[in-house]
Amino acid sequence: MIKHIVMWNMSGETEEDRRKAAEFLRSRFEELRGEVPGLLHLEVGFDHSRVDYACDVVLYSEFESQEALDAYGTHPAHLRVKWELGQTRIARFQVDYTL
């Protein structure tokens, strides 16, 4: 199993703008459940620590194999989500790992 974690900072002039962008991101990614072969688990969370070095949003997902994760990167549903999100994200960090 591969764990795929992505963290973003959201664009927006106000905290409310960033919250709306984060909610939009969550709604788009949650639609991927059941659409992407090999995607076993997906959850999206929002930071509540409010420390200056924290990211706004985290995506935690699990894939059955490296091949499934690789296929996810080019899957039409995932590409649609990336396109829909456009410039709502201003920074992105990623970690993929196995246990």
Side-chain angles (χ1 to χ4, degrees):
M1 178 183 354
I2 304 290
K3 297 180 185 228
H4 174 66
I5 299 173
V6 183
M7 296 179 292
W8 296 275
N9 285 324
M10 306 307 293
S11 63
E13 293 186 26
T14 67
E15 187 174 327
E16 178 67 13
D17 290 341
R18 290 187 296 279
R19 186 194 62 75
K20 286 180 181 177
E23 288 285 354
F24 181 69
L25 181 144
R26 177 169 40 195
S27 72
R28 306 285 37 98
F29 272 98
E30 287 181 345
E31 288 182 359
L32 295 177
R33 290 187 185 118
E35 279 197 61
V36 178
L39 175 60
L40 304 174
H41 180 77
L42 180 143
E43 61 187 65
V44 177
F46 302 149
D47 176 65
H48 65 86
S49 71
R50 302 193 192 269
V51 295
D52 62 350
Y53 53 85
C55 291
D56 298 321
V57 181
V58 63
L59 166 70
Y60 172 82
S61 53
E62 297 174 351
F63 290 84
E64 65 186 16
S65 65
Q66 183 63 52
E67 293 77 19
L69 177 57
D70 292 344
Y72 165 74
T74 59
H75 190 280
H78 180 239
L79 295 176
R80 179 191 73 234
V81 167
K82 287 174 66 175
W83 181 83
E84 288 174 344
L85 293 174
Q87 300 301 311
T88 62
R89 301 148 300 157
I90 57 174
R92 180 183 186 280
F93 305 91
Q94 176 179 325
V95 173
D96 296 332
Y97 67 97
T98 61
L99 291 179

